Amino acid sequence: MLVMGLQVPGLQPQDTRGALIVGQVIDAATKRPVAGAVVSIPGPPASNGQPRLAVLTGTDGRFLFRDLSRGNYNITVIKGGYADGAHGRTRPGGASLPLSLNDGERRDDIVVRLWRHAAISGTVTDESGERQVAVQIRAYRRSVAGGKRRYVPAGSASTDDRGIYRIGTLIPGDYIIGTAPRHQALPLSMIREGNKSDQDIFVELTNRIGPVAIGDTGYVLGRGAPPPPPPAGGRLVIYPAVFHPAAAAGEAATVITLQPGEHHDSADIQIIPAQTVSVSGFIIGPDGPVTSTSLRLLPAGGIEVPGDTDGLFSWTDPKGGFVFPAVPSGHYTLKLTRGAVTGFIGRGNIEPPLIWVDLPLSVGTEDILNLGVTANAGLRISGRFEFEGDPARPRGSLQNVQIMIEPADTVVGALARPIVARANAAGEFTSPALPGGRYYVRIADSPSGWMFKGATHEGRDVADIPLTLAAGVDNVTVQFTDRWSGLSGRVLPDSGLAVGEVAVIIFPTDSDSWGSSGQSPRRLRL
């Protein structure tokens, strides 16, 4: 390198082709700079071979990355007390955009917004006004999943010795607040008559709080569930889930809208006791009694949360029998899924065939005894590929094409992600075993030179209109075409909007399709 006209030994000439990023991190609400934020650019390394991972913003919120090679950079920002930010993000938790750099390009107009976390707090009391300690409270944020508006878990906390809870680090949005009790029944025969595997399951599920013996059933309250009141009239009384202020169903809860940095401090909850009845029976599958398997009673229209963290649970005994000893009156769905789709591994690391139960059940004021339940074998979707266009056009290896079987009704849990099937060399495919339900059939990557057109079954495109799977389906036709369709254009933004801050969305004009599009809508593009 030349300094004052002299050659300095040991220094290499500077690469003048290195690109530059100069930007600023600001508070989205106040527009003020945010100091001390960590700005990262995972992506291509710097042109001198040293990766530039992260920098801190100065007091003016500004940051600088220099000597960058050409490529796409995903700029992300984290700062305590704020929701994570990213380049191109215009709302909390929204989509981000990569920044494309050419050799030697200078970008000094980058602005990354951050939104302050919000919080919700309140007091939990029982029916007599007494404050409740160590009760778990969960926040649910209104979101869109599977093309439908629904509430998803967003945070939790337990009440302290004053009966007060506080849930922080919430991104701005709409929330409901509710208790999250877990009521679980385990057959005591798992210990007395079961094998070592059954006994291990029993110990694992009861190692925090021992079961209360109710006949041949061990009744277990999960951590954070309010302890039940004394029995009334010989029947168990429990505190079922309740939402702020005292709603039995999430849909009737009061919605709390949080602005950036807001602390809502009056989300009080009153828990209400409910008399219960017992629901018991037995489950028979294709190969006999269904043993040592978890099942749930879900309130009809209620909020299902991931990880089986709350609700009414039971386990089948060594003879396939089950008991729910404390069920409030109402309408429920009895659910069970065991096998390959959920990754359930049985004794000796043997994966059993998939079986499932999805049974509506109405519970009144009398016990339900000896309920016979049939578990169904898994169902399969099969079909073939069909190509419309030049028959001489190469199709490549059809075995590499992924057929995505996507649940239409987003159930939080084992089937939240699509199930993948693959075709053979002739373009014929069969899915893994599936529980009954509604599914879309879609393609992840079409063969090179071809475009996915649709998947038809009995004249309906099941890529857009879900297929109801009540029995095996073997005549789905997946169609590809060499006549490509697309849309391009140019956006002329108003003043104040920089290039890269505008998102272009294309979606159907038929509003009926907006609420039934699945997790990966094929006719929605961003």
Side-chain angles (χ1 to χ4, degrees), residues 78-420:
I78 59 174
K79 166 74 174 179
Y82 288 87
D84 293 349
H87 173 252
R89 183 166 293 169
T90 57
R91 60 181 176 83
S96 61
L97 293 173
L99 178 66
S100 179
L101 289 179
N102 294 319
D103 290 327
E105 183 177 5
R106 177 187 177 94
R107 292 296 303 271
D108 56 5
D109 57 348
I110 304 303
V111 175
V112 182
R113 301 171 180 83
L114 295 181
W115 290 264
R116 280 195 176 275
H117 282 139
I120 296 176
S121 65
T123 303
V124 178
T125 58
D126 64 10
E127 69 280 10
S128 62
E130 183 177 349
R131 298 191 176 197
Q132 298 296 295
V133 177
V135 175
Q136 187 180 64
I137 307 298
R138 183 176 286 121
Y140 301 87
R141 180 170 57 87
R142 186 155 60 185
S143 181
V144 176
K148 298 180 180 179
R149 287 190 178 273
R150 61 186 70 220
Y151 289 92
V152 295
S156 63
S158 295
T159 57
D160 59 18
D161 57 334
R162 302 165 298 170
I164 298 174
Y165 73 91
R166 184 180 189 276
I167 304 175
T169 64
L170 298 174
I171 68 174
D174 294 333
Y175 290 84
I176 61 174
I177 303 295
T179 61
R182 179 184 175 97
H183 304 271
Q184 180 166 275
L186 298 166
L188 298 177
S189 55
M190 291 177 70
I191 285 290
R192 295 195 300 262
E193 304 170 15
N195 57 25
K196 183 63 165 61
S197 176
D198 289 334
Q199 295 171 8
D200 290 342
I201 292 173
F202 190 94
V203 171
E204 179 181 350
L205 295 174
T206 61
N207 60 358
R208 292 176 180 169
I209 304 175
V212 177
I214 302 174
D216 193 41
T217 301
Y219 181 57
V220 183
L221 274 179
R223 177 180 294 177
R235 295 192 179 276
L236 291 177
V237 177
I238 66 171
Y239 289 109
V242 63
F243 297 86
H244 165 69
E251 290 76 5
T254 298
V255 177
I256 300 171
T257 299
L258 295 178
Q259 302 298 330
E262 180 182 359
H263 178 196
H264 185 96
D265 60 1
S266 58
D268 299 335
I269 297 175
Q270 183 180 39
I271 58 176
I272 307 296
Q275 279 199 330
T276 67
V277 299
S278 175
V279 176
S280 63
F282 54 91
I283 300 179
I284 302 296
D287 300 321
V290 178
T291 64
S292 304
T293 301
S294 176
L295 62 157
R296 301 185 67 180
L297 267 181
L298 298 174
I303 294 177
E304 185 178 358
V305 297
D308 292 347
T309 53
D310 65 9
L312 303 174
F313 296 81
S314 185
W315 276 73
T316 55
D317 63 22
K319 297 179 181 179
F322 68 89
V323 179
F324 290 92
V327 181
S329 299
H331 299 287
Y332 296 86
T333 301
L334 181 65
K335 281 185 173 288
L336 177 153
T337 303
R338 187 189 77 178
V341 171
T342 61
F344 177 91
I345 302 298
R347 301 186 184 98
N349 291 327
I350 298 175
E351 192 173 74
L354 184 136
I355 58 173
W356 58 279
V357 172
D358 191 340
L359 178 68
L361 186 64
S362 293
V363 177
T365 58
E366 300 293 332
D367 293 341
I368 298 177
L369 307 175
N370 297 319
L371 177 66
V373 179
T374 300
N376 305 287
L379 307 173
R380 299 181 188 273
I381 299 173
S382 60
R384 60 182 177 84
F385 291 168
E386 185 179 273
F387 293 83
E388 297 179 357
D390 184 358
R393 181 181 294 274
R395 300 175 182 178
S397 175
L398 300 184
Q399 293 97 320
N400 293 330
V401 178
Q402 296 185 20
I403 302 98
M404 313 300 290
I405 313 297
E406 180 183 330
D409 303 309
T410 305
V411 177
V412 181
L415 282 179
R417 290 180 290 184
I419 310 303
V420 178

